[in-house]
Amino acid sequence: MLASSAVLRRQQLVIRCLGVGGYSDHNINTNQKPMQGVRFSSGAASFSLEADAENVLRAITPTLDPNRHKGQAGNIAVIGGCREYTGAPYFAAISALKIGADLSHVFCTRDAASVIKSYSPELIVHPILEESYSVRDEDKSFILENVLGEVDKWMERFDCLVIGPGLGRDPFLLDCVSKIIKHARQSNVPIVIDGDGLFLITNWLDLVSGYHLAVLTPNVNEYKRLVQKVLSCEVNDEDAREQLLSLAKRIGGVTILRKGKADLISDGETVESVSIYGSPRRCGGQGDILSGRQVFVSDSRNPTMLGCIAGSTLMRKAASLAFENKKRSTLTTDIIECLGRR
Amino acid sequence: MLASSAVLRRQQLVIRCLGVGGYSDHNINTNQKPMQGVRFSSGAASFSLEADAENVLRAITPTLDPNRHKGQAGNIAVIGGCREYTGAPYFAAISALKIGADLSHVFCTRDAASVIKSYSPELIVHPILEESYSVRDEDKSFILENVLGEVDKWMERFDCLVIGPGLGRDPFLLDCVSKIIKHARQSNVPIVIDGDGLFLITNWLDLVSGYHLAVLTPNVNEYKRLVQKVLSCEVNDEDAREQLLSLAKRIGGVTILRKGKADLISDGETVESVSIYGSPRRCGGQGDILSGRQVFVSDSRNPTMLGCIAGSTLMRKAASLAFENKKRSTLTTDIIECLGRR
């Protein structure tokens, strides 16, 4: 009952976003046009070249409506942050807020929680995950239940889970996260898989296989491992679009955003690329911004592609603005500062 | 096999940096000229006066190429940070990012880690070192193995280790760091020794003696102790260049950057000085910036000298810009803010 009302709410968000005239952007505010040039074939593979990224962005950005209340413009959760990594989940979570989400949660280990809280008072940080070193074998099943209980309390309220930034590779922690993915799937909550989350799903493809609300955002190395595992071959840059299409299809129609000089996006039916803007800086953390910006991902196939195009465009625009100003000394925090600027 | 590919990668970085036309600087962007005036005699000692610092900087700065991916513009690690000191390793690590490195790690004690993490989400902080007070004698060899295992997991990926900022002088911790230096040397990873790292190597010179990829960056007191220990005499400012040359030669051709009103640099074969720019402020932490900025240090003799000239120039330029603005109230964080500015 609760689940179906949440699905309805998310679908209404999509319909509102996509309805002609139902979009306005107080943020980017370029000349508004009806949504043209957003090309999707529903059947056979189509290979459009560059996505009409700015138009997509304009079309799917939700209206800022004074009648709406907290949470309606987006409530996301990042699952990540361990003893070793705290920057990545922060970048993902704060980026979601900076592009317009109302609420941004982080579920991380106790070690990571106080550090992530210290980066920003804007985030809601839940110190609930545990790594093997802090757990006795006989306590594991009890702790696993506890972790799932804590996440489930919130699950129906989330519009999207971002799984993986700064997650680390501790076996017990990854075991808990596998269960969280299963619960998200049962509740039809869209998931974005990045960083160590990709390590997890590359080894356990069933976790996401066939789930149309899953988005994978691999960088060059993560993509290489995914291609090797799923297609049993090496990355072929000559035929990059065809290979990406096959990969997405083989994982049952998940959407894959392959990060690179141009970002390539496919859901197994179409391939789009986004290459406008960008920066030559490759400082660590930019991928985390992108994952956090998948706040537009919603319950419907095409909107997942659109969300990727929008996320990629916003990231590249902000990186380009930051680079204009800071050049080689650009850091990821400088890019976040430019999110939402024109 | 892995080691040789890493050496190759670092050598390619040097070749790319030094190739005529293979450099461009989106940051400093003064009139670009082919690399002239970079004087190195490969045999007998040469005593050029002021290094052509800006030209060196322009020549060795790697190209920002949109085809490259995260990590290829530099991945450095700072070994330092203990219960007492947390600022110094932060200054060193963030400075590396601010001059263009992609990834910057800190290996420190557990006490220091959460504090250093909280200074900036940009850093990857590993809480793996231990001080004697937290370790029982019978656990020491086990912990030592653990520490080395954690650092070794990453070693081949690092382009440079900066050893010493905020390290402290705990005997067990210094014992671990000695072993890390030996492993870095076995893997041909360049090392920069600063702060308490200089206390360590002044007492155990064999750790760096004869290692051409080692850079020592002593301040006035650290230099004094080094001269006393190695040359068994006092510092002679009348004949500063000759004495520095002898010192570098006696330690088997390591490169020494003697910090002062003018920075003097020698690898035992040549001596260069850098005195442009600078600031009369002597706030603590500036030396840490310099050590973190040795991101250009690479596997070849002359590039080590060039890296020192570049690091010194960048540090002095930023200090001068910060002082113009903040005068007597200039802090080290103000200087870091000016890294990369024109």
Side-chain angles (χ1 to χ4, degrees):
Chain A
M1 188 64 183
L2 194 59
S4 68
S5 75
V7 170
L8 190 66
R9 185 191 77 225
R10 293 188 202 112
Q11 278 174 346
Q12 283 169 339
L13 181 71
V14 181
I15 293 160
R16 197 177 61 243
C17 295
L18 295 178
V20 175
Y23 53 88
S24 74
D25 191 349
H26 295 264
N27 202 12
I28 289 153
N29 204 19
T30 48
N31 293 328
Q32 292 190 8
K33 292 180 277 184
M35 191 173 157
Q36 292 164 340
V38 182
R39 295 151 307 207
F40 285 97
S41 67
S42 58
S46 104
F47 288 81
S48 57
L49 294 168
E50 180 77 6
D52 186 358
E54 294 212 338
N55 230 3
V56 168
L57 190 52
R58 223 174 283 123
I60 73 168
T61 304
T63 311
L64 284 178
D65 177 350
N67 292 316
R68 292 164 68 199
H69 59 79
K70 185 172 76 176
Q72 290 186 311
N75 186 355
I76 80 141
V78 176
I79 315 288
C82 60
R83 184 161 61 161
E84 205 158 15
Y85 305 113
T86 51
Y90 162 73
F91 289 143
I94 199 76
S95 299
L97 289 180
K98 288 284 286 183
I99 64 155
D102 286 341
L103 293 162
S104 190
H105 296 248
V106 177
F107 291 84
C108 60
T109 68
R110 276 182 297 171
D111 295 318
S114 52
V115 176
I116 298 172
K117 284 169 187 279
S118 80
Y119 293 146
S120 167
E122 319 275 358
L123 306 177
I124 302 162
V125 183
H126 307 259
I128 60 156
L129 300 179
E130 299 275 1
E131 291 179 83
S132 303
Y133 76 89
S134 64
V135 177
R136 289 182 305 180
D137 278 351
E138 59 267 38
D139 296 336
K140 281 185 175 167
S141 65
F142 169 75
I143 289 171
L144 178 62
E145 287 309 310
N146 252 0
V147 168
L148 284 172
E150 286 296 319
V151 178
D152 283 348
K153 276 201 284 189
W154 296 87
M155 189 69 89
E156 288 300 330
R157 291 183 244 180
F158 292 137
D159 295 303
C160 179
L161 292 191
V162 180
I163 294 167
L167 193 61
R169 295 185 179 185
D170 179 77
F172 177 65
L173 195 150
L174 292 185
D175 199 26
C176 291
V177 173
S178 301
K179 301 286 192 305
I180 294 172
I181 293 175
K182 285 177 187 164
H183 283 215
R185 214 172 153 162
Q186 281 158 13
S187 299
N188 285 306
V189 173
I191 54 176
V192 176
I193 313 271
D194 190 46
D196 290 319
L198 289 167
F199 167 82
L200 174 67
I201 66 99
T202 301
N203 291 313
W204 288 275
L205 276 168
D206 283 351
L207 287 172
V208 293
S209 190
Y211 187 43
H212 289 188
L213 297 177
V215 175
L216 320 183
T217 57
N219 66 17
V220 60
N221 288 320
E222 291 153 355
Y223 188 71
K224 189 179 163 189
R225 285 193 289 269
L226 207 53
V227 166
Q228 287 170 340
K229 180 68 186 279
V230 178
L231 300 179
S232 306
C233 65
E234 294 303 313
V235 171
N236 172 3
D237 278 326
E238 299 288 292
D239 233 348
R241 287 168 169 267
E242 191 63 75
Q243 191 172 51
L244 178 65
L245 191 87
S246 306
L247 185 66
K249 195 176 280 174
R250 190 73 76 82
I251 314 178
V254 299
T255 298
I256 303 175
L257 190 165
R258 179 191 172 182
K259 296 179 279 197
K261 188 183 166 192
D263 296 332
L264 277 183
I265 305 159
S266 179
D267 58 358
E269 296 200 349
T270 61
V271 184
E272 298 271 341
S273 88
V274 177
S275 62
I276 51 164
Y277 310 122
S279 144
R281 271 287 272 158
R282 294 291 177 266
C283 46
Q286 294 185 58
D288 306 308
I289 299 182
L290 181 62
S291 68
R293 289 157 79 185
Q294 304 294 335
V295 69
F296 296 133
V297 171
S298 294
D299 309 58
S300 152
R301 189 130 185 209
N302 289 356
T304 305
M305 282 287 285
L306 295 177
C308 286
I309 294 168
S312 172
T313 308
L314 284 167
M315 166 67 208
R316 300 174 75 95
K317 176 73 177 173
S320 145
L321 288 170
F323 187 77
E324 262 177 40
N325 185 26
K326 298 282 188 111
K327 297 287 188 291
R328 192 182 292 269
S329 68
T330 307
L331 303 185
T332 300
T333 42
D334 299 317
I335 299 173
I336 289 171
E337 202 43 52
C338 291
L339 285 172
R341 287 207 193 143
R342 272 183 279 161
Chain B
M1 189 64 184
L2 193 61
S4 68
S5 75
V7 170
L8 189 66
R9 186 193 75 225
R10 295 188 202 111
Q11 279 174 345
Q12 283 169 339
L13 182 71
V14 181
I15 292 161
R16 198 179 59 245
C17 294
L18 294 179
V20 174
Y23 53 87
S24 74
D25 191 347
H26 297 264
N27 199 13
I28 289 154
N29 204 18
T30 48
N31 292 330
Q32 293 191 5
K33 290 180 278 183
M35 191 173 157
Q36 293 165 341
V38 181
R39 294 149 308 206
F40 284 97
S41 66
S42 58
S46 103
F47 287 83
S48 58
L49 293 168
E50 179 77 6
D52 187 357
E54 293 211 337
N55 230 3
V56 168
L57 190 52
R58 223 173 284 124
I60 74 167
T61 305
T63 309
L64 284 176
D65 177 351
N67 291 314
R68 291 164 69 199
H69 57 79
K70 185 172 75 177
Q72 291 185 311
N75 186 353
I76 81 142
V78 177
I79 315 287
C82 60
R83 187 159 60 160
E84 204 158 14
Y85 305 113
T86 51
Y90 162 75
F91 290 144
I94 199 78
S95 298
L97 290 179
K98 289 283 286 183
I99 64 156
D102 287 340
L103 294 162
S104 192
H105 297 247
V106 177
F107 291 85
C108 61
T109 68
R110 277 182 297 171
D111 294 318
S114 52
V115 177
I116 298 172
K117 283 169 188 278
S118 78
Y119 293 147
S120 165
E122 318 274 357
L123 306 177
I124 301 164
V125 182
H126 307 262
I128 59 157
L129 301 179
E130 298 276 2
E131 291 180 84
S132 303
Y133 76 88
S134 64
V135 177
R136 288 182 306 179
D137 279 350
E138 60 267 36
D139 295 336
K140 281 185 176 167
S141 66
F142 169 76
I143 289 171
L144 178 63
E145 287 309 310
N146 252 0
V147 168
L148 284 172
E150 286 295 320
V151 178
D152 283 348
K153 275 201 285 190
W154 296 88
M155 188 69 88
E156 288 300 329
R157 290 183 244 182
F158 291 136
D159 295 304
C160 182
L161 292 191
V162 180
I163 293 167
L167 193 60
R169 296 185 179 184
D170 178 76
F172 177 66
L173 196 150
L174 292 184
D175 200 26
C176 290
V177 172
S178 301
K179 300 286 191 305
I180 293 173
I181 293 175
K182 284 178 186 162
H183 283 215
R185 216 174 149 160
Q186 280 159 13
S187 299
N188 287 305
V189 174
I191 53 177
V192 176
I193 313 271
D194 190 46
D196 290 320
L198 290 165
F199 168 81
L200 173 67
I201 67 100
T202 301
N203 291 313
W204 287 275
L205 275 168
D206 282 353
L207 287 171
V208 294
S209 188
Y211 187 44
H212 289 189
L213 298 177
V215 175
L216 320 183
T217 57
N219 65 17
V220 60
N221 288 321
E222 292 153 354
Y223 188 71
K224 188 177 164 191
R225 284 194 290 268
L226 207 52
V227 166
Q228 287 170 339
K229 180 69 186 278
V230 179
L231 301 178
S232 307
C233 65
E234 293 304 313
V235 171
N236 173 1
D237 278 328
E238 298 290 291
D239 231 349
R241 287 169 169 267
E242 192 63 76
Q243 191 172 50
L244 178 64
L245 191 86
S246 306
L247 185 66
K249 196 177 277 172
R250 191 71 76 82
I251 314 178
V254 299
T255 298
I256 303 174
L257 191 164
R258 179 191 172 183
K259 296 178 281 196
K261 187 180 163 197
D263 295 333
L264 277 182
I265 305 159
S266 179
D267 58 359
E269 295 199 352
T270 60
V271 184
E272 299 269 343
S273 88
V274 178
S275 63
I276 51 165
Y277 309 122
S279 144
R281 275 285 278 155
R282 294 291 176 265
C283 46
Q286 294 185 56
D288 307 308
I289 299 182
L290 182 62
S291 68
R293 289 159 78 188
Q294 304 295 333
V295 68
F296 296 132
V297 171
S298 292
D299 309 56
S300 151
R301 189 127 186 213
N302 288 356
T304 305
M305 282 288 285
L306 295 177
C308 286
I309 294 168
S312 171
T313 308
L314 284 168
M315 166 66 208
R316 300 174 75 93
K317 174 75 175 171
S320 140
L321 287 170
F323 187 76
E324 262 177 38
N325 187 24
K326 299 282 186 112
K327 295 287 187 293
R328 190 181 294 270
S329 70
T330 307
L331 303 184
T332 299
T333 41
D334 299 317
I335 299 173
I336 288 171
E337 201 42 51
C338 291
L339 284 172
R341 288 209 192 142
R342 273 184 274 163

